[in-house]
Amino acid sequence: MKFMIILISSLFMFHSHALFEIDENKALLQSEKNTISIFETNVNSVVHISNIRKVRRGSARGFFFFHRPSRSKERIEGEGTGFVWDKNGHIVTNYHVIRGGTKFMVKFHKDPKKYEAKLIGSEPNKDIAVLKLVKTPKRLTPVKVGSSDTIKVGQKAIAIGNPFGLDSTITQGIVSAKGRAIRGITGIEIFDMIQTDSSINPGNSGGPLINSRGEVIGVNTMIYSHSGTSAGVGFAVPIDAVKKIAPQLIKYGQVKRAGFGIAPIEKEMLAYQYDIEIEKGLPIARVFEGSSADKAGLRGITGDEYEIYLGDIILKVDNKDINSYDDIFNILYEYNVGDTVKVTFLRKGKKKTVDMKLQLLQPRD
């Protein structure tokens, strides 16, 4: 009888353990299953990027005055995240992840091999860059690209990246806000940034922000933090901007920006340099000869030995207010070369409007 009791007890323990495993799987919430599915679908598309820089050692003379030739040494400048854009081996990441690097090494999830990549092009003002793998792994899975225009505040937001060098880390939160204007690495504000409370830390930069359908809606870029670690306020460049930038970087190595052909001056600088104060608009400092603005008759600042004369002040582009360089940069970024826009400007206290065909901007503009 004692033997039977022990046997039944053992059988009960075996079956209860099996039942526990079944119950545990059933206990997964639908939202948990969704998160697991997103991670498993995307983790092989997210990569770890090492930014390597060659540092040249200077020559030196020893005690016996012999000459030692200079040698270069490689060192890791920084690390970050990126994701596979297409089957040709293009990788999207942040500009600040690759800045200053001369060589880039890419590592995939659970792949011991490191793959070299070369820089194809970058758009520093939007903090976006594209690398291309020199050799690709046997299987290359691009991410599924979504839309940032249709996102809703409060929807799920998932980040996959390499915070503090910890590969393939997933964090989950929500879209906390949209349409944020955040100053980027070049000092120019990036419009329409996505704010999220999904934990983003150093090393997450360049990684994807993903919605509940497994689509990339942004590129995780920066955090607001006093400690340097996540404080629940992270920002991502919207994927709609990347969809415009990445193809141009791949095709041309740069973004072909449209504009007027002017050199504007901020109101604060106008007051500082020329002691002229205005309330609204963006003053034109100079109009380049032969430009669209020149052909439309716009005027910049002029002067003689006695006085400085204020030129035209741009007030609106297609009824969108212009009050700073950030405004005109981000508004015109949405247009293409050859598009026609309606420009409202102020000249000697009178408002004027002119239709202007946008031109390809040169590096001077």
Side-chain angles (χ1 to χ4, degrees), residues 205-224:
S205 290
L209 188 68
I210 306 170
N211 65 17
S212 57
R213 292 188 296 274
E215 301 166 335
V216 177
I217 56 173
V219 181
N220 299 317
T221 299
M222 64 186 76
I223 57 173
Y224 272 177

Side-chain angles (χ1 to χ4, degrees), residues 103-116:
K103 182 178 178 182
F104 309 98
M105 300 305 294
V106 173
K107 189 176 182 305
F108 288 82
H109 178 62
K110 290 187 177 179
D111 186 342
K113 185 176 178 180
K114 291 185 178 180
Y115 298 84
E116 186 175 352

Side-chain angles (χ1 to χ4, degrees), residues 227-286:
S227 64
T229 56
S230 177
V233 185
F235 298 94
V237 176
I239 198 65
D240 286 355
V242 182
K243 286 192 288 188
K244 180 176 181 178
I245 294 167
Q248 291 193 59
L249 294 180
I250 292 168
K251 188 173 183 179
Y252 306 113
Q254 62 179 351
V255 173
K256 294 195 171 185
R257 288 175 46 218
F260 306 146
I262 63 170
I265 181 171
E266 296 278 10
K267 295 187 288 290
E268 296 79 9
M269 189 59 68
L270 183 72
Y272 177 77
Q273 286 189 347
Y274 301 111
D275 199 25
I276 300 173
E277 294 188 1
I278 62 171
E279 291 184 5
K280 292 183 178 181
L282 180 65
I284 299 175
R286 181 184 174 191

Side-chain angles (χ1 to χ4, degrees), residues 33 50 121 254:
K33 292 178 181 178
S50 295
Q254 62 179 351

